[in-house]
Amino acid sequence: MSESTTAALQPPPSGGTAAVPRANPLGKFLGGSVGRSIGLVVALALLFIVGAVTSGERFLNLDNMLTILRYASIVGVISIGATFVITAGGIDLSVGSVMGLSTVLASLTAVQLAATNSSWLLMVVVALAVAVGAGLINGMIIAYGNVVAFIATLAMLVGARGVAELISGRSTQIVTNRDFLSVMRSNFLGVPLLIWIFLLVAAAGWFLLNRTTFGRRTVAIGGNLEAARLAGIKVKRHIVWLYVLSGVTAGIAGIMMMGRTTAGTSTHGLLYELDVIAAVVVGGTLLIGGRGTIVGTVLGVLLFSTLTNVFTQNNLDTSVQAVARGAIIVVAVLLQQRFAVRGTGRRKGAL
């Protein structure tokens, strides 16, 4: 055996440390939260290509792009709140019903009359108060009543929808307050206010999840609830705040829905909880908790919105739409996992 080979096989001198290669920056990037979203970006780009090829200028014009964003805005706002709940290992099935209930109460004749005599902001306050109250009830039952989140929010889903039907008499209530409609249908820099609200809520959600103690505690609770409790986090109180936050976003979405449809009805938000959960999970937030991404959620919402728009532009049958929707969801998730595994593998190889 040569001297060079022998030297290579000998352990490092006592007290010394072996040289450790630096982690591959690309591997670190792919393994991070942004890297996990590349699959969604690829899927979204493919959808845009399909839309451009099949519909041409009708799809690519600015008005249609704004339509896609406007369609995504309401579900997107609810999805931001749901991201926090799911990151903590919870679930909220009641968001659609809570949104519907908030529109019904905020559009009552008495409320609109009071808003006309005072300020249109009264309708906003009523919608938010109703949604926050529902979120608070959910949180208290789950955290202090020790009821499984699935059951508690399922009960709220049914109950809130029933209350909305009783109050409205299963009829649509027209929003007649001109000041409210004028504001909610306004544009800023050529972009509808609904889209700005979505962007602001998403930005606030990103900051709250990634740059605050509240966000770190949310991730910790989702990763290991008992460990979080032993670390000094007041888990029960935090869980209550998470469902209140989910209620806030449902209330904001209700306000946006009234502005877009000029109506309050118990059917608003019907089955939205499925779209919200799908967007959040496809976006990269773990359904079992412990990892959440606002950027991924926004991309997931945009993916579904663009998909619906492409179907509409091409007049596809709803059955075909359902099949294609499911297939693209699976492809997006597989792409996500593939990039994430590559990133993790490269990081391990660098250690």
Side-chain angles (χ1 to χ4, degrees), residues 77-238:
V77 166
I78 303 177
S79 298
I80 299 302
T83 300
F84 284 85
V85 172
I86 294 176
T87 299
I91 196 76
D92 191 350
L93 301 177
S94 67
V95 288
S97 296
V98 170
M99 187 193 85
L101 178 60
S102 70
T103 67
V104 167
L105 288 174
S107 62
L108 288 172
T109 302
V111 175
Q112 292 198 63
L113 181 60
T116 300
N117 294 329
S118 56
S119 170
W120 62 271
L121 290 173
L122 178 62
M123 297 176 64
V124 174
V125 171
V126 170
L128 288 177
V130 170
V132 167
L136 180 61
I137 293 172
N138 278 336
M140 294 294 288
I141 292 175
I142 293 166
Y144 295 100
N146 295 320
V147 177
V148 177
F150 182 90
I151 299 300
T153 58
L154 179 62
M156 180 60 74
L157 179 154
V158 177
R161 189 74 66 188
V163 171
E165 290 176 352
L166 288 172
I167 293 175
S168 65
R170 297 190 177 184
S171 61
T172 300
Q173 299 173 169
I174 304 301
V175 176
T176 57
N177 188 289
R178 294 183 178 180
D179 292 337
F180 176 83
L181 294 177
S182 176
V183 172
M184 296 307 299
R185 294 191 158 197
S186 63
N187 294 334
F188 179 67
L189 299 178
V191 178
L193 180 64
L194 298 184
I195 297 175
W196 284 112
I197 293 175
F198 176 34
L199 294 176
L200 289 173
V201 172
W206 181 89
F207 181 82
L208 187 61
L209 184 61
N210 296 284
R211 293 292 184 269
T212 68
T213 303
F214 184 89
R216 290 191 289 272
R217 288 174 178 172
T218 300
V219 174
I221 291 172
N224 191 319
L225 188 147
E226 184 60 23
R229 186 185 68 80
L230 294 174
I233 297 175
K234 296 181 179 179
V235 174
K236 291 183 182 295
R237 187 173 69 180
H238 193 87

Side-chain angles (χ1 to χ4, degrees), residues 182-340:
S182 176
V183 172
M184 296 307 299
R185 294 191 158 197
S186 63
N187 294 334
F188 179 67
L189 299 178
V191 178
L193 180 64
L194 298 184
I195 297 175
W196 284 112
I197 293 175
F198 176 34
L199 294 176
L200 289 173
V201 172
W206 181 89
F207 181 82
L208 187 61
L209 184 61
N210 296 284
R211 293 292 184 269
T212 68
T213 303
F214 184 89
R216 290 191 289 272
R217 288 174 178 172
T218 300
V219 174
I221 291 172
N224 191 319
L225 188 147
E226 184 60 23
R229 186 185 68 80
L230 294 174
I233 297 175
K234 296 181 179 179
V235 174
K236 291 183 182 295
R237 187 173 69 180
H238 193 87
I239 289 174
V240 172
W241 280 114
L242 288 173
Y243 283 93
V244 168
L245 177 61
S246 182
V248 169
T249 54
I252 294 173
I255 296 165
M256 296 165 68
M257 181 64 83
M258 285 192 297
R260 193 180 79 179
T261 63
T262 70
T265 172
S266 60
T267 59
H268 277 333
L270 189 63
L271 298 181
Y272 270 32
E273 55 275 357
L274 301 182
D275 291 337
V276 167
I277 293 171
V280 173
V281 174
V282 167
T285 297
L286 292 180
L287 192 57
I288 59 174
R291 188 184 77 197
T293 162
I294 298 297
V295 173
T297 294
V298 171
L299 290 173
V301 171
L302 290 177
L303 178 68
F304 287 124
S305 179
T306 304
L307 181 60
T308 300
N309 187 269
V310 171
F311 289 151
T312 303
Q313 292 281 349
N314 291 280
N315 297 316
L316 293 177
D317 183 79
T318 55
S319 299
V320 177
Q321 292 182 26
V323 173
R325 186 184 181 98
I328 292 178
I329 290 172
V330 171
V331 170
V333 173
L334 289 176
L335 285 171
Q336 258 183 257
Q337 292 177 342
R338 184 174 182 82
F339 280 111

